[in-house]
Amino acid sequence: MTDTTGTTPAAAPERLTELVREAPLSFLGTVTRVGGTSLAAFPADQRNERTTVVRVDRVLHAPQAYRQLAGTEVTVQLAPDTALLNVGDVAAFFTRGLVYGETLGLAEVGRLPAETVQPHVSLAATTADEMPFSSVQRDIRNQDIAAHAQEADAVVVGSVVGLEDLGLPEFSEHAPHWWRATLTVSHVEAGSIDARRTTVLYPHSGDIRWRDVPKPKPGQLGLWLLHATTGDLASRAPYRLLHPDDYQPAQKLAVLREGR
């Protein structure tokens, strides 16, 4: 048996992960109208069978604002490579926003048979505050952290024992405003750090370019993904933080090891 995108059951877990990565909103839904629309701002050609109205039966994953869509109707512009649908068909739809009005107009990214996602729905029903694809999203997040760690020049577990403003001249409102953190290193997972201490630069600025880069705090223990400092800054500290994922709870060390 294959789904309407040509995915075999054996390939379904990989396809599911791919779709959750690509689509910000997914749901189990039942087709209520073909060639119609639930949106005045999204008129449909009645001959266009790829404009489909779908009742949302169960939200599988979504931004917080769209987690209460169950029971409503949305208009879905079917992807060109997926099979056409009939009234009464049930499927798992993976979508992104297209039109926002009295209801949602969505562009289909992909589709899976309802039975493919049923195990996730059943598990979520027994777990408080979990959406059906919460575990898939966690797995994706862990995969991303593990992949980012592979790009780091050093990976250590350590505690922040010192912070200082380097006071470097700044010539732009977007300047990083470099500070230096001193870490006491309790474990080296990757890299060639021999000493029990190392120093790390980080942008203290709250500018949009830098605001998501970790800002170490006094006494903070964690897993640090460090990048070699280059250029003139190399004399200030051997490493720096550059990416939002460069700090993780120490427990994430297990995730990195599992990802190898």
Side-chain angles (χ1 to χ4, degrees):
M1 176 181 176
T2 61
D3 73 354
T4 53
T5 63
T7 302
T8 64
E14 291 75 16
R15 179 62 175 154
L16 173 58
T17 298
E18 178 185 335
L19 288 171
V20 173
R21 275 188 179 279
E22 294 178 3
L25 168 62
S26 66
F27 58 91
L28 278 173
T30 303
V31 177
T32 60
R33 202 180 336 160
V34 174
T37 178
S38 61
L39 268 167
F42 189 25
D45 182 341
Q46 295 301 315
R47 296 167 297 177
N48 182 1
E49 295 177 313
R50 292 204 169 275
T51 304
T52 306
V53 178
V54 182
R55 184 185 67 241
V56 178
D57 300 320
R58 178 72 181 265
V59 177
L60 301 173
H61 87 288
Q64 188 66 42
Y66 298 106
R67 293 187 176 185
Q68 308 300 321
L69 286 176
T72 66
E73 287 190 334
V74 296
T75 300
V76 180
Q77 187 66 45
L78 303 183
D81 59 347
T82 57
L84 294 175
L85 295 167
N86 298 308
V87 172
D89 284 349
V90 178
F93 294 86
F94 297 79
T95 65
R96 61 171 57 97
L98 191 60
V99 178
Y100 301 90
E102 61 274 19
T103 63
L104 287 180
L106 303 168
E108 184 184 46
V109 174
R111 193 187 316 151
L112 289 175
E115 59 267 24
T116 300
V117 304
Q118 193 56 48
H120 294 276
V121 173
S122 298
L123 180 62
T126 63
T127 309
D129 301 322
E130 286 278 289
M131 299 200 76
F133 288 162
S134 291
S135 62
V136 178
Q137 291 180 290
R138 280 194 295 272
D139 288 345
I140 289 172
R141 176 72 179 135
N142 288 339
Q143 291 168 15
D144 290 345
I145 293 170
H148 182 63
Q150 294 295 318
E151 301 172 354
D153 295 293
V155 179
V156 305
V157 176
S159 298
V160 178
V161 294
L163 297 172
E164 58 180 314
D165 183 351
L166 295 185
L168 298 178
E170 298 182 351
F171 305 101
S172 165
E173 60 181 322
H174 304 295
H177 191 181
W178 291 109
W179 278 48
R180 179 167 54 206
T182 300
L183 302 180
T184 296
V185 178
S186 57
H187 173 76
V188 178
E189 182 67 13
S192 56
I193 297 177
D194 296 323
R196 283 307 205 180
R197 284 196 177 196
T198 192
T199 52
V200 180
L201 302 182
Y202 66 96
H204 195 268
S205 170
D207 182 78
I208 188 170
R209 180 177 176 183
W210 308 105
R211 69 174 58 152
D212 293 331
V213 179
K215 314 289 191 246
K217 299 176 177 59
Q220 188 175 24
L221 169 68
L223 180 68
W224 304 90
L225 282 55
L226 308 178
H227 307 275
T229 309
T230 58
D232 295 340
L233 288 172
S235 63
R236 304 285 183 166
Y239 298 103
R240 56 182 170 175
L241 305 176
L242 295 172
H243 189 277
D245 287 344
D246 284 346
Y247 169 79
Q248 300 294 327
Q251 297 90 327
K252 287 292 185 181
L253 181 59
V255 169
L256 303 191
R257 291 173 173 173
E258 290 171 3
R260 290 174 183 166

